[in-house]
Amino acid sequence: MAPTARFLTLADVAEVLNTSSAQVYALVRRGDLPAIKIGGRGQWRVEATELEKYIERMYDETKTFVSAHPFVESDTGRGDEA
């Protein structure tokens, strides 16, 4: 079994989160997801442990949101926009 990479590209992170590289770039640039810039061309890398911390924070934030905004039957069909 190969060891897990310490650093991930934005494309790798996008694949893990099932989102676009542009969305991951926005998370990094806003400071929501810590990353480093490396090399002369300034390629972004996200440490795997930082990605896991981010995911845990999102679970916590979602838990808080759900507690503050309980689901009611009239909410069905609203999609992800809420």
Side-chain angles (χ1 to χ4, degrees), residues 56-70:
E56 287 302 315
R57 277 195 317 275
M58 292 304 98
Y59 273 116
D60 290 342
E61 287 182 22
T62 301
K63 208 177 293 183
T64 300
F65 175 84
V66 168
S67 293
H69 302 89

Side-chain angles (χ1 to χ4, degrees), residues 2-3 5-7 9 13 19 25-26 29 38 40-41 44-45 55 57 61-62 79-80:
R6 179 174 178 182
F7 290 97
T9 65
V13 174
T19 191
Y25 178 75
R29 293 292 287 144
I38 61 168
R41 294 176 50 199
W44 290 99
R45 294 294 183 268
I55 292 169
R57 277 195 317 275
E61 287 182 22
T62 301
D80 293 343

